[in-house]
Amino acid sequence: MRTYLADEALLPEGWARDVAIDVDGAGAIVAVRTGAQAGAVEGAERLRGPVLPGLPNLHSHAFQRAMAGRTERRGPGGNDSFWTWREVMYRIAARFGPEDAEAVAAQLYVEMLKGGYTAVAEFHYLHHAPDGRPYADRAEMARRILAAARRVGIGITMLPSLYRHGGFGEAPPAEGQRRFLNDAEGVLHIVATVQADIAGGADARVGLAPHSLRAVSPALLADAVAGMRALDPEAPIHIHVAEQLREVEECLAATGRRPVARLLELAAPDARWCAIHATHMDAAETAALAASGAVAGLCPLTEANLGDGLFPFGAWRGGGGRWGIGSDSQVSASPRHELRQAEYAQRLHLRARTLVASEAQPSPGTTLLLEALDGGAQALGRPVGAIAPGRRADLLVLDAADPWLAGASGDTLADAFVFAGDANSVRDVMVGGRWVVRDGHHADERATATAYRASLARLFG
Amino acid sequence: MRTYLADEALLPEGWARDVAIDVDGAGAIVAVRTGAQAGAVEGAERLRGPVLPGLPNLHSHAFQRAMAGRTERRGPGGNDSFWTWREVMYRIAARFGPEDAEAVAAQLYVEMLKGGYTAVAEFHYLHHAPDGRPYADRAEMARRILAAARRVGIGITMLPSLYRHGGFGEAPPAEGQRRFLNDAEGVLHIVATVQADIAGGADARVGLAPHSLRAVSPALLADAVAGMRALDPEAPIHIHVAEQLREVEECLAATGRRPVARLLELAAPDARWCAIHATHMDAAETAALAASGAVAGLCPLTEANLGDGLFPFGAWRGGGGRWGIGSDSQVSASPRHELRQAEYAQRLHLRARTLVASEAQPSPGTTLLLEALDGGAQALGRPVGAIAPGRRADLLVLDAADPWLAGASGDTLADAFVFAGDANSVRDVMVGGRWVVRDGHHADERATATAYRASLARLFG
């Protein structure tokens, strides 16, 4: 057992001073005390700045890191949208081999750790070889991504994705989707394989990701969820829903229901579910999904980059809805920039400030952090996201020397971290009791970047 | 004379390869050649990455850097807005002495240089002592800020602000505004003093900033502009206009005109003018102001932070309107994050992508950079913002080793720089032919940060 001392730390109930955190040999927090005096704990390690829990990233497609910045070009028709972006994404996805998947994920996960994400939910749909045939090991690509996560030391919830159809009404898949396709048996085989790989590991978990209501028929959704529940009754289940207006229109046309209403009707989501995006909901959908206990998987910078639209944040939170943040298309690996964007989009729309704060908790920075930590941990299905007994020792030590944080503490520090400055103010990062970033550097960052560049040269060279 | 060689550089007509840039001893670019071979230029210095012109920052209130992150708290009434933010700003402004003004500006300007801004327009209204009396030297505070800019090596357009009234109809100023107040004679004295200080300096200029139509009556605006024109007929004139809906309502009530319509009527702005924010314009105002040649001074991250509202970017650009970016309240010192936010706000609102790109220039990154460079230079009234003969040698060398830019060049590089990644990808920065940042570090950054922290301790300790 080891004890860490923080001058100040963000606990579930708010900021506290002189915090002692006891961590066992397996990387779990066993006790947290406040008001601890430096000399009082023999052999304790003093943390070198204010401490936050590591942020959970609840939605990642790792391979898209290689596309960041490469999908911005205006097409010949001039009608650029999510759907033209998706065509570019399919063309790039077609080139990835297993080695690329691992190299790109490792680079991304190093960047996430340095930015302050200590755990990620990998919504993994790039399963098969470029010709659409499964690799000899059907879980090859999932295992490569898992290997990257283990190697660089980020916690992971692997969510093999079930993708079967090209659109509502069991439309045939498009050419660009053939690497993604599975039936329930196929995806559950991947789930079971990864489950066996991680057996006993405290920093990984497996769940299921039915891709979307377009890509999975009602019967298939029911089969796959039942199969997942048989393997792990509490496993997280993530699904893309209501990201784009066209999807709303197509769902209405095909089923007579809007996507979130349809999801509620088909799957009765509960606290084990995460609805990714859920951007376009009417008031009844918002209230019902929030009340279900499912987490809304917000991806603020990706949703801005793709022009998805505005999530009903106020109504969602007003209805008790839980939420977290995901990096999705990987245009950013910084939780503070995601949180900032989540609030800025609302401020611009509603022409008001400090929207998430309340009289009980007047700091929007602290509020955003605590809610994203809590919802993110729930979505990952792992005991993370809080400095509390029973949770993993996933900790961020902020850089007290960063002038953007100078002189700030407690709620003001949280506000500065979320709303001011550009650079990375994270100094040290611990995952499961192990230091993975020290002084802003990851031990493997050079090797990882070299392998990443080699993959980019293969993919685009 | 010195010659610099870039493998690739952004020129006014777009990206070019093997660019030789000749810079004279006074820091001006005298010639630019493309297709230059490395060996062909004896004694030339090879730049260590792709090269952009330094970005002009057209709107800064330097002292507000000390407030970044400290204004986010929800007030007791729960009705947080620009106007409650302004009360907090007044309280903090009241504490600044000349030494603080210089220390905070120096820290901010170092951060701007490291982020890629090589010139700033300082909209300076914190003129007098806390009790409202002018300092013995009426230009004391302006000179402190100018000293900071010179010391750290950023180009500056000093815009002493004229602030007289507390609202439309010559309402009396509030207590919190007393340090800002001048009459035309007072502000022109500051202008003339700074003009004398910088005489012959190529990296500084002086203009005038009538604060807003609320703070300056029509007669005073006419007097001050005439006085400025007598001192320098081509000097830039900046004014805050139409940032907030309440301002629109008050202007309508007092004058029967919306703020931009009123500005057009009173001042007939032209290419020497910069309308800061100009957020709330109707279609006729947008068309008329765009056609006037005035620059729109967008401050995307501040406008998001303050919940100002959405600038009519499409109509503005469609009408030939020129624009640039400003860091305003200093929640960011990064031009790439400002440009990103300018486009993301539009993408979320219009639910489409690559909005500023065109068939002629399909890269939104290149388009945003070139337009912000051009409009920013115009607003600063200085020959900056382009790698072209006659312009200042203000150059950014990007970090080719940054994985976020890996393998990208030309338009793709511009897209990646603007739309992907979080960290600072600027490696070396030159202002007026002099290196001020090397390998991401400014020579004075430690001393500057130490003085900044000492000021913060005085201001908030």
Side-chain angles (χ1 to χ4, degrees), chain A residues 70-74 80 245 305 307 331-333 344 347 351 353-354 362 364 401 404 406 412 415 421-422 453, chain B residues 70-74 80 245 305 307 330-333 344 347 351 353-354 362 364 401 404 406 412 421-422 453:
Chain A
R70 292 175 184 269
T71 66
E72 302 295 333
R73 207 57 51 80
R74 190 177 185 85
D80 282 86
L245 281 181
N305 184 287
V331 289
S332 164
Y344 279 0
R347 289 189 186 187
R351 299 195 192 108
R353 305 186 78 234
T354 65
W404 287 101
T412 302
D415 289 339
D422 311 292
R453 272 191 285 270
Chain B
R70 291 174 185 271
T71 66
E72 303 294 334
R73 208 57 51 82
R74 190 177 186 89
D80 282 87
L245 281 181
N305 184 286
Q330 327 298 358
V331 287
S332 164
Y344 280 180
R347 289 189 186 188
R351 301 199 189 106
R353 305 185 77 233
T354 68
W404 287 100
T412 303
D422 312 293
R453 272 191 285 270

Short mmCIF file of all heavy atoms in Angstrom, two decimals, chain A residues 70-74 80 245 305 307 331-333 344 347 351 353-354 362 364 401 404 406 412 415 421-422 453, chain B residues 70-74 80 245 305 307 330-333 344 347 351 353-354 362 364 401 404 406 412 421-422 453:
data_model
loop_
_atom_site.label_atom_id
_atom_site.label_comp_id
_atom_site.label_asym_id
_atom_site.label_seq_id
_atom_site.Cartn_x
_atom_site.Cartn_y
_atom_site.Cartn_z
N ARG A 70 -7.79 15.72 -41.94
CA ARG A 70 -7.75 15.29 -43.35
C ARG A 70 -9.13 15.14 -43.96
O ARG A 70 -9.25 14.59 -45.06
CB ARG A 70 -7.02 13.95 -43.45
CG ARG A 70 -5.54 14.04 -43.14
CD ARG A 70 -4.89 12.67 -43.13
NE ARG A 70 -3.50 12.77 -42.73
CZ ARG A 70 -2.49 12.95 -43.58
NH1 ARG A 70 -2.71 13.02 -44.88
NH2 ARG A 70 -1.26 13.06 -43.13
N THR A 71 -10.13 15.58 -43.26
CA THR A 71 -11.49 15.39 -43.77
C THR A 71 -12.20 16.72 -43.96
O THR A 71 -13.42 16.77 -44.07
CB THR A 71 -12.34 14.57 -42.77
OG1 THR A 71 -12.50 15.38 -41.59
CG2 THR A 71 -11.67 13.27 -42.41
N GLU A 72 -11.41 17.79 -43.99
CA GLU A 72 -12.04 19.12 -43.97
C GLU A 72 -12.30 19.67 -45.36
O GLU A 72 -12.93 20.69 -45.51
CB GLU A 72 -11.15 20.11 -43.20
CG GLU A 72 -10.85 19.70 -41.76
CD GLU A 72 -12.09 19.68 -40.88
OE1 GLU A 72 -13.03 20.41 -41.17
OE2 GLU A 72 -12.11 18.89 -39.91
N ARG A 73 -11.78 19.00 -46.37
CA ARG A 73 -11.84 19.55 -47.72
C ARG A 73 -13.27 19.62 -48.26
O ARG A 73 -14.05 18.69 -48.13
CB ARG A 73 -10.98 18.70 -48.65
CG ARG A 73 -10.43 19.45 -49.85
CD ARG A 73 -9.61 20.67 -49.44
NE ARG A 73 -8.57 20.38 -48.45
CZ ARG A 73 -7.40 19.86 -48.77
NH1 ARG A 73 -7.12 19.60 -50.02
NH2 ARG A 73 -6.51 19.62 -47.85
N ARG A 74 -13.58 20.72 -48.90
CA ARG A 74 -14.90 20.87 -49.51
C ARG A 74 -14.98 19.99 -50.75
O ARG A 74 -14.08 19.98 -51.58
CB ARG A 74 -15.10 22.32 -49.92
CG ARG A 74 -16.53 22.64 -50.35
CD ARG A 74 -16.65 24.12 -50.66
NE ARG A 74 -18.01 24.53 -50.98
CZ ARG A 74 -18.91 24.86 -50.06
NH1 ARG A 74 -18.61 24.81 -48.80
NH2 ARG A 74 -20.13 25.22 -50.43
N ASP A 80 -21.10 19.97 -48.22
CA ASP A 80 -20.40 19.16 -47.24
C ASP A 80 -21.19 19.00 -45.96
O ASP A 80 -21.77 19.93 -45.45
CB ASP A 80 -19.03 19.77 -46.95
CG ASP A 80 -18.08 19.42 -48.06
OD1 ASP A 80 -18.06 20.17 -49.07
OD2 ASP A 80 -17.43 18.40 -47.96
N LEU A 245 -29.96 15.01 -38.40
CA LEU A 245 -31.37 15.18 -38.73
C LEU A 245 -31.83 14.18 -39.78
O LEU A 245 -32.96 13.69 -39.75
CB LEU A 245 -31.64 16.60 -39.22
CG LEU A 245 -31.76 17.66 -38.12
CD1 LEU A 245 -32.04 19.02 -38.73
CD2 LEU A 245 -32.85 17.28 -37.12
N ASN A 305 -17.50 19.86 -35.17
CA ASN A 305 -16.77 19.67 -36.42
C ASN A 305 -17.69 19.11 -37.51
O ASN A 305 -17.59 19.50 -38.68
CB ASN A 305 -15.58 18.74 -36.19
CG ASN A 305 -14.73 18.58 -37.42
OD1 ASN A 305 -15.13 17.91 -38.37
ND2 ASN A 305 -13.57 19.22 -37.45
N GLY A 307 -20.93 19.43 -37.60
CA GLY A 307 -22.16 20.21 -37.77
C GLY A 307 -23.40 19.43 -37.41
O GLY A 307 -24.43 19.53 -38.08
N VAL A 331 -10.65 14.82 -33.15
CA VAL A 331 -10.13 16.14 -33.51
C VAL A 331 -9.47 16.81 -32.30
O VAL A 331 -8.80 17.83 -32.43
CB VAL A 331 -11.20 17.07 -34.12
CG1 VAL A 331 -11.56 16.58 -35.52
CG2 VAL A 331 -12.44 17.14 -33.25
N SER A 332 -9.65 16.23 -31.13
CA SER A 332 -9.01 16.73 -29.91
C SER A 332 -8.80 15.54 -28.97
O SER A 332 -9.58 14.59 -28.99
CB SER A 332 -9.91 17.76 -29.24
OG SER A 332 -9.52 18.00 -27.89
N ALA A 333 -7.74 15.61 -28.18
CA ALA A 333 -7.54 14.59 -27.15
C ALA A 333 -7.53 15.25 -25.78
O ALA A 333 -6.88 14.79 -24.85
CB ALA A 333 -6.25 13.82 -27.39
N TYR A 344 -19.82 26.16 -24.23
CA TYR A 344 -19.81 27.30 -25.16
C TYR A 344 -20.93 27.21 -26.20
O TYR A 344 -21.54 28.22 -26.58
CB TYR A 344 -18.46 27.42 -25.86
CG TYR A 344 -17.38 28.10 -25.03
CD1 TYR A 344 -17.62 28.58 -23.75
CD2 TYR A 344 -16.10 28.28 -25.56
CE1 TYR A 344 -16.62 29.20 -23.01
CE2 TYR A 344 -15.10 28.91 -24.82
CZ TYR A 344 -15.36 29.36 -23.55
OH TYR A 344 -14.37 29.99 -22.82
N ARG A 347 -23.91 28.44 -24.47
CA ARG A 347 -23.86 29.89 -24.20
C ARG A 347 -24.19 30.70 -25.45
O ARG A 347 -24.94 31.68 -25.39
CB ARG A 347 -22.47 30.29 -23.69
CG ARG A 347 -22.17 29.79 -22.29
CD ARG A 347 -20.87 30.40 -21.75
NE ARG A 347 -20.52 29.80 -20.47
CZ ARG A 347 -19.53 30.21 -19.68
NH1 ARG A 347 -18.77 31.24 -20.06
NH2 ARG A 347 -19.28 29.62 -18.55
N ARG A 351 -27.42 32.67 -25.23
CA ARG A 351 -26.96 34.02 -24.90
C ARG A 351 -26.96 34.26 -23.39
O ARG A 351 -27.53 35.25 -22.89
CB ARG A 351 -27.82 35.06 -25.61
CG ARG A 351 -27.75 34.92 -27.12
CD ARG A 351 -28.28 36.16 -27.82
NE ARG A 351 -28.47 35.92 -29.24
CZ ARG A 351 -29.66 35.81 -29.84
NH1 ARG A 351 -30.77 35.91 -29.14
NH2 ARG A 351 -29.72 35.61 -31.13
N ARG A 353 -24.51 32.91 -19.58
CA ARG A 353 -23.25 32.31 -19.11
C ARG A 353 -23.49 31.32 -17.96
O ARG A 353 -24.59 31.20 -17.47
CB ARG A 353 -22.31 33.41 -18.60
CG ARG A 353 -22.03 34.50 -19.60
CD ARG A 353 -20.98 35.47 -19.09
NE ARG A 353 -19.65 34.91 -19.21
CZ ARG A 353 -18.77 34.80 -18.22
NH1 ARG A 353 -19.10 35.21 -17.01
NH2 ARG A 353 -17.59 34.26 -18.42
N THR A 354 -22.44 30.64 -17.57
CA THR A 354 -22.39 29.73 -16.40
C THR A 354 -23.64 28.87 -16.33
O THR A 354 -24.26 28.74 -15.27
CB THR A 354 -22.23 30.53 -15.08
OG1 THR A 354 -23.39 31.33 -14.87
CG2 THR A 354 -21.01 31.42 -15.12
N PRO A 362 -21.82 26.93 -7.47
CA PRO A 362 -21.76 28.07 -8.40
C PRO A 362 -20.63 28.00 -9.42
O PRO A 362 -20.59 28.82 -10.32
CB PRO A 362 -21.59 29.26 -7.45
CG PRO A 362 -21.06 28.71 -6.18
CD PRO A 362 -21.53 27.30 -6.08
N PRO A 364 -19.05 26.62 -12.65
CA PRO A 364 -19.34 25.75 -13.79
C PRO A 364 -18.21 24.77 -14.06
O PRO A 364 -18.45 23.65 -14.52
CB PRO A 364 -19.54 26.73 -14.95
CG PRO A 364 -18.88 28.00 -14.53
CD PRO A 364 -18.94 28.02 -13.03
N ALA A 401 2.58 25.29 -11.90
CA ALA A 401 3.44 26.35 -12.45
C ALA A 401 2.87 26.95 -13.73
O ALA A 401 3.37 27.96 -14.23
CB ALA A 401 4.84 25.79 -12.72
N TRP A 404 -1.62 29.86 -16.63
CA TRP A 404 -3.08 29.89 -16.78
C TRP A 404 -3.79 29.45 -15.49
O TRP A 404 -4.96 29.75 -15.31
CB TRP A 404 -3.53 29.02 -17.95
CG TRP A 404 -3.19 29.63 -19.28
CD1 TRP A 404 -2.15 29.29 -20.08
CD2 TRP A 404 -3.90 30.68 -19.97
NE1 TRP A 404 -2.16 30.06 -21.22
CE2 TRP A 404 -3.21 30.92 -21.18
CE3 TRP A 404 -5.04 31.43 -19.68
CZ2 TRP A 404 -3.62 31.89 -22.10
CZ3 TRP A 404 -5.46 32.40 -20.60
CH2 TRP A 404 -4.75 32.61 -21.79
N ALA A 406 -2.29 30.04 -12.45
CA ALA A 406 -1.55 30.71 -11.37
C ALA A 406 -2.50 31.30 -10.33
O ALA A 406 -3.46 32.01 -10.67
CB ALA A 406 -0.66 31.81 -11.94
N THR A 412 -12.13 27.91 -8.36
CA THR A 412 -11.52 28.83 -9.32
C THR A 412 -10.52 28.09 -10.20
O THR A 412 -10.41 28.36 -11.41
CB THR A 412 -10.83 30.00 -8.57
OG1 THR A 412 -11.80 30.65 -7.77
CG2 THR A 412 -10.23 30.99 -9.56
N ASP A 415 -12.53 26.25 -12.74
CA ASP A 415 -12.99 27.18 -13.78
C ASP A 415 -11.86 27.53 -14.74
O ASP A 415 -12.06 27.60 -15.95
CB ASP A 415 -13.56 28.45 -13.14
CG ASP A 415 -14.89 28.22 -12.44
OD1 ASP A 415 -15.57 27.22 -12.76
OD2 ASP A 415 -15.24 29.04 -11.57
N GLY A 421 -7.11 29.24 -21.28
CA GLY A 421 -5.84 28.70 -21.72
C GLY A 421 -5.99 27.63 -22.78
O GLY A 421 -7.08 27.14 -23.05
N ASP A 422 -4.87 27.30 -23.39
CA ASP A 422 -4.86 26.43 -24.55
C ASP A 422 -4.03 25.19 -24.33
O ASP A 422 -4.33 24.12 -24.81
CB ASP A 422 -4.26 27.20 -25.74
CG ASP A 422 -4.89 28.55 -25.89
OD1 ASP A 422 -6.07 28.62 -26.23
OD2 ASP A 422 -4.21 29.56 -25.62
N ARG A 453 3.90 7.67 -37.25
CA ARG A 453 4.29 8.30 -38.52
C ARG A 453 4.52 7.27 -39.62
O ARG A 453 4.17 7.50 -40.77
CB ARG A 453 5.52 9.18 -38.32
CG ARG A 453 5.14 10.61 -37.91
CD ARG A 453 6.34 11.55 -37.97
NE ARG A 453 7.23 11.30 -36.86
CZ ARG A 453 7.13 11.91 -35.67
NH1 ARG A 453 6.21 12.83 -35.47
NH2 ARG A 453 7.95 11.62 -34.70
N ARG B 70 -11.46 33.47 -13.90
CA ARG B 70 -11.91 34.00 -12.61
C ARG B 70 -13.26 34.70 -12.68
O ARG B 70 -13.67 35.36 -11.73
CB ARG B 70 -10.89 34.99 -12.05
CG ARG B 70 -9.60 34.33 -11.64
CD ARG B 70 -8.56 35.37 -11.22
NE ARG B 70 -7.29 34.75 -10.94
CZ ARG B 70 -6.94 34.28 -9.72
NH1 ARG B 70 -7.74 34.42 -8.71
NH2 ARG B 70 -5.77 33.71 -9.57
N THR B 71 -13.91 34.60 -13.80
CA THR B 71 -15.18 35.32 -13.98
C THR B 71 -16.32 34.35 -14.25
O THR B 71 -17.37 34.75 -14.73
CB THR B 71 -15.10 36.28 -15.17
OG1 THR B 71 -14.97 35.48 -16.36
CG2 THR B 71 -13.92 37.22 -15.07
N GLU B 72 -16.09 33.07 -13.97
CA GLU B 72 -17.07 32.07 -14.40
C GLU B 72 -18.13 31.78 -13.36
O GLU B 72 -19.08 31.08 -13.64
CB GLU B 72 -16.35 30.76 -14.77
CG GLU B 72 -15.28 30.90 -15.85
CD GLU B 72 -15.85 31.29 -17.20
OE1 GLU B 72 -17.02 30.99 -17.46
OE2 GLU B 72 -15.13 31.93 -17.99
N ARG B 73 -17.94 32.32 -12.16
CA ARG B 73 -18.82 31.96 -11.07
C ARG B 73 -20.24 32.46 -11.26
O ARG B 73 -20.46 33.60 -11.66
CB ARG B 73 -18.26 32.50 -9.75
CG ARG B 73 -18.64 31.70 -8.54
CD ARG B 73 -18.22 30.24 -8.65
NE ARG B 73 -16.82 30.05 -8.99
CZ ARG B 73 -15.83 30.11 -8.11
NH1 ARG B 73 -16.10 30.34 -6.85
NH2 ARG B 73 -14.61 29.91 -8.50
N ARG B 74 -21.20 31.60 -10.97
CA ARG B 74 -22.60 32.00 -11.04
C ARG B 74 -22.92 32.96 -9.90
O ARG B 74 -22.56 32.71 -8.75
CB ARG B 74 -23.48 30.76 -10.92
CG ARG B 74 -24.94 31.01 -11.22
CD ARG B 74 -25.71 29.70 -11.15
NE ARG B 74 -27.08 29.86 -11.56
CZ ARG B 74 -27.51 29.75 -12.80
NH1 ARG B 74 -26.66 29.50 -13.77
NH2 ARG B 74 -28.79 29.89 -13.09
N ASP B 80 -26.65 34.97 -14.98
CA ASP B 80 -25.33 35.39 -15.44
C ASP B 80 -25.32 35.71 -16.92
O ASP B 80 -25.88 34.99 -17.73
CB ASP B 80 -24.32 34.30 -15.12
CG ASP B 80 -23.95 34.37 -13.66
OD1 ASP B 80 -24.67 33.75 -12.87
OD2 ASP B 80 -23.00 35.08 -13.35
N LEU B 245 -27.44 41.85 -27.28
CA LEU B 245 -28.80 42.24 -27.66
C LEU B 245 -29.31 43.43 -26.84
O LEU B 245 -30.02 44.29 -27.36
CB LEU B 245 -29.76 41.06 -27.49
CG LEU B 245 -29.71 40.03 -28.62
CD1 LEU B 245 -30.72 38.93 -28.35
CD2 LEU B 245 -29.98 40.70 -29.98
N ASN B 305 -17.64 32.53 -24.77
CA ASN B 305 -17.56 32.56 -23.30
C ASN B 305 -18.60 33.51 -22.72
O ASN B 305 -19.22 33.22 -21.69
CB ASN B 305 -16.14 32.97 -22.87
CG ASN B 305 -15.98 32.93 -21.37
OD1 ASN B 305 -16.48 33.80 -20.67
ND2 ASN B 305 -15.30 31.91 -20.85
N GLY B 307 -21.38 34.39 -24.21
CA GLY B 307 -22.73 34.13 -24.70
C GLY B 307 -23.29 35.28 -25.53
O GLY B 307 -24.47 35.62 -25.43
N GLN B 330 -9.10 37.30 -23.41
CA GLN B 330 -7.91 36.48 -23.13
C GLN B 330 -8.23 35.13 -22.50
O GLN B 330 -7.44 34.61 -21.71
CB GLN B 330 -6.91 37.26 -22.23
CG GLN B 330 -6.84 38.75 -22.43
CD GLN B 330 -6.37 39.17 -23.82
OE1 GLN B 330 -6.06 38.36 -24.68
NE2 GLN B 330 -6.32 40.48 -24.07
N VAL B 331 -9.35 34.55 -22.88
CA VAL B 331 -9.57 33.17 -22.44
C VAL B 331 -8.72 32.19 -23.25
O VAL B 331 -8.62 31.01 -22.92
CB VAL B 331 -11.06 32.74 -22.51
CG1 VAL B 331 -11.83 33.43 -21.38
CG2 VAL B 331 -11.68 33.06 -23.85
N SER B 332 -8.10 32.69 -24.33
CA SER B 332 -7.20 31.88 -25.15
C SER B 332 -6.16 32.81 -25.76
O SER B 332 -6.45 33.97 -26.03
CB SER B 332 -7.99 31.19 -26.27
OG SER B 332 -7.14 30.71 -27.28
N ALA B 333 -4.96 32.29 -25.96
CA ALA B 333 -3.94 33.05 -26.70
C ALA B 333 -3.53 32.30 -27.95
O ALA B 333 -2.42 32.43 -28.43
CB ALA B 333 -2.73 33.32 -25.80
N TYR B 344 -16.69 26.50 -36.06
CA TYR B 344 -17.54 25.53 -35.35
C TYR B 344 -18.88 26.13 -34.95
O TYR B 344 -19.91 25.45 -35.00
CB TYR B 344 -16.81 24.99 -34.12
CG TYR B 344 -15.80 23.90 -34.40
CD1 TYR B 344 -15.07 23.32 -33.37
CD2 TYR B 344 -15.58 23.43 -35.69
CE1 TYR B 344 -14.14 22.30 -33.62
CE2 TYR B 344 -14.65 22.42 -35.94
CZ TYR B 344 -13.94 21.86 -34.90
OH TYR B 344 -13.03 20.86 -35.13
N ARG B 347 -20.93 25.90 -37.98
CA ARG B 347 -21.29 24.51 -38.34
C ARG B 347 -22.43 24.00 -37.47
O ARG B 347 -23.36 23.35 -37.96
CB ARG B 347 -20.07 23.59 -38.17
CG ARG B 347 -19.00 23.81 -39.21
CD ARG B 347 -17.93 22.72 -39.12
NE ARG B 347 -16.83 23.02 -40.04
CZ ARG B 347 -15.82 22.20 -40.30
NH1 ARG B 347 -15.74 21.02 -39.71
NH2 ARG B 347 -14.86 22.55 -41.15
N ARG B 351 -25.65 23.34 -39.36
CA ARG B 351 -25.62 21.88 -39.55
C ARG B 351 -25.01 21.51 -40.90
O ARG B 351 -25.58 20.77 -41.69
CB ARG B 351 -27.02 21.28 -39.42
CG ARG B 351 -27.66 21.56 -38.07
CD ARG B 351 -28.81 20.62 -37.77
NE ARG B 351 -29.52 21.05 -36.58
CZ ARG B 351 -30.72 21.63 -36.61
NH1 ARG B 351 -31.35 21.80 -37.74
NH2 ARG B 351 -31.30 21.99 -35.48
N ARG B 353 -20.75 21.53 -42.99
CA ARG B 353 -19.30 21.56 -42.76
C ARG B 353 -18.61 22.47 -43.78
O ARG B 353 -19.21 22.90 -44.73
CB ARG B 353 -18.70 20.16 -42.85
CG ARG B 353 -19.34 19.15 -41.93
CD ARG B 353 -18.61 17.82 -41.98
NE ARG B 353 -17.38 17.88 -41.22
CZ ARG B 353 -16.18 17.55 -41.67
NH1 ARG B 353 -16.02 17.11 -42.91
NH2 ARG B 353 -15.11 17.65 -40.91
N THR B 354 -17.31 22.68 -43.55
CA THR B 354 -16.41 23.39 -44.48
C THR B 354 -17.08 24.64 -45.04
O THR B 354 -17.05 24.90 -46.24
CB THR B 354 -15.95 22.47 -45.64
OG1 THR B 354 -17.04 22.16 -46.50
CG2 THR B 354 -15.31 21.19 -45.14
N PRO B 362 -10.78 24.96 -51.82
CA PRO B 362 -11.56 23.96 -51.08
C PRO B 362 -11.11 23.70 -49.66
O PRO B 362 -11.81 23.02 -48.92
CB PRO B 362 -11.43 22.69 -51.93
CG PRO B 362 -10.20 22.89 -52.76
CD PRO B 362 -10.01 24.37 -52.92
N PRO B 364 -10.85 24.73 -45.95
CA PRO B 364 -11.29 25.74 -45.00
C PRO B 364 -10.14 26.26 -44.14
O PRO B 364 -10.15 27.43 -43.74
CB PRO B 364 -12.34 25.02 -44.15
CG PRO B 364 -12.08 23.57 -44.34
CD PRO B 364 -11.45 23.41 -45.68
N ALA B 401 7.45 18.03 -36.38
CA ALA B 401 7.51 16.79 -35.59
C ALA B 401 6.22 16.56 -34.80
O ALA B 401 6.04 15.49 -34.22
CB ALA B 401 8.70 16.82 -34.64
N TRP B 404 0.21 15.76 -34.61
CA TRP B 404 -1.05 16.28 -35.16
C TRP B 404 -0.87 16.82 -36.57
O TRP B 404 -1.85 16.97 -37.31
CB TRP B 404 -1.64 17.36 -34.26
CG TRP B 404 -2.22 16.81 -32.99
CD1 TRP B 404 -1.62 16.81 -31.77
CD2 TRP B 404 -3.49 16.16 -32.80
NE1 TRP B 404 -2.45 16.20 -30.84
CE2 TRP B 404 -3.59 15.80 -31.43
CE3 TRP B 404 -4.55 15.85 -33.66
CZ2 TRP B 404 -4.72 15.14 -30.91
CZ3 TRP B 404 -5.67 15.19 -33.12
CH2 TRP B 404 -5.75 14.85 -31.78
N ALA B 406 1.54 15.45 -38.61
CA ALA B 406 2.39 14.46 -39.29
C ALA B 406 1.89 14.15 -40.69
O ALA B 406 0.71 13.88 -40.91
CB ALA B 406 2.44 13.17 -38.47
N THR B 412 -3.72 20.62 -46.60
CA THR B 412 -4.01 19.63 -45.55
C THR B 412 -3.35 20.04 -44.24
O THR B 412 -3.91 19.85 -43.16
CB THR B 412 -3.53 18.24 -46.00
OG1 THR B 412 -4.17 17.91 -47.23
CG2 THR B 412 -3.87 17.17 -44.96
N GLY B 421 -6.16 18.79 -33.03
CA GLY B 421 -5.14 18.87 -31.98
C GLY B 421 -5.38 20.01 -31.02
O GLY B 421 -6.21 20.89 -31.24
N ASP B 422 -4.63 19.96 -29.94
CA ASP B 422 -4.87 20.87 -28.83
C ASP B 422 -3.64 21.71 -28.53
O ASP B 422 -3.73 22.86 -28.14
CB ASP B 422 -5.21 20.07 -27.58
CG ASP B 422 -6.27 19.03 -27.88
OD1 ASP B 422 -7.40 19.44 -28.16
OD2 ASP B 422 -5.96 17.84 -27.87
N ARG B 453 3.09 36.25 -11.81
CA ARG B 453 2.57 35.64 -10.58
C ARG B 453 2.62 36.62 -9.41
O ARG B 453 1.71 36.64 -8.58
CB ARG B 453 3.34 34.36 -10.26
CG ARG B 453 2.72 33.15 -10.94
CD ARG B 453 3.33 31.85 -10.41
NE ARG B 453 4.65 31.68 -10.97
CZ ARG B 453 4.90 31.03 -12.10
NH1 ARG B 453 3.90 30.50 -12.79
NH2 ARG B 453 6.11 30.93 -12.56
#
